[in-house]
Amino acid sequence: AKKWINIRKSYGNFYKVPRNQTKLTIMLENLGMNYDGRPHSGLDDSKNIARIAIRMLQDGCDLRVNEKIHGGQLMTVSSSVPIEGAPAPQMPRYRN
């Protein structure tokens, strides 16, 4: 992956909290959620991060790519950069 969403940055910016409040367990706690699974398990951490992302989307956050690798260097991507990639999913249309 050369571009991604750093959920800690997105969380901090969206909920206006300092960086020390963006650890996984603290983010879950502040959202009224418990950590599911085993701590430091890659799969369980991923599932918990997904739960945070879903909650942020429900709260109105516009999740965007905010970091990338360019020339071997980690770079922050400005939030004013247009969203790249596929269009947002649409609700299925039912035929009558």
Side-chain angles (χ1 to χ4, degrees):
K2 293 188 180 192
K3 298 177 188 176
W4 60 90
I5 296 170
N6 180 328
I7 203 75
R8 292 179 69 186
K9 280 185 179 181
S10 295
Y11 178 96
N13 290 332
F14 184 70
Y15 294 114
K16 308 290 188 238
V17 297
R19 180 109 170 115
N20 67 352
Q21 293 292 306
T22 62
K23 293 181 179 150
L24 182 57
T25 54
I26 294 172
M27 291 187 292
L28 287 164
E29 183 180 307
N30 289 341
L31 294 173
M33 299 177 190
N34 293 319
Y35 186 93
D36 288 344
R38 297 179 324 264
H40 308 296
S41 159
L43 180 59
D44 291 338
D45 284 352
S46 298
K47 289 178 181 179
N48 284 290
I49 290 167
R51 292 173 53 223
I52 292 168
I54 290 167
R55 174 63 182 276
M56 291 175 66
L57 291 167
Q58 290 170 339
D59 288 348
C61 182
D62 182 18
L63 291 174
R64 294 175 172 235
V65 169
N66 57 15
E67 287 186 349
K68 68 178 181 175
I69 293 287
H70 182 72
Q73 298 292 317
L74 174 65
M75 300 181 73
T76 296
V77 176
S78 169
S79 61
S80 63
V81 173
I83 298 173
E84 297 179 19
Q90 301 294 313
M91 292 299 293
R93 294 196 176 105
Y94 298 99
R95 294 183 182 169
N96 292 334

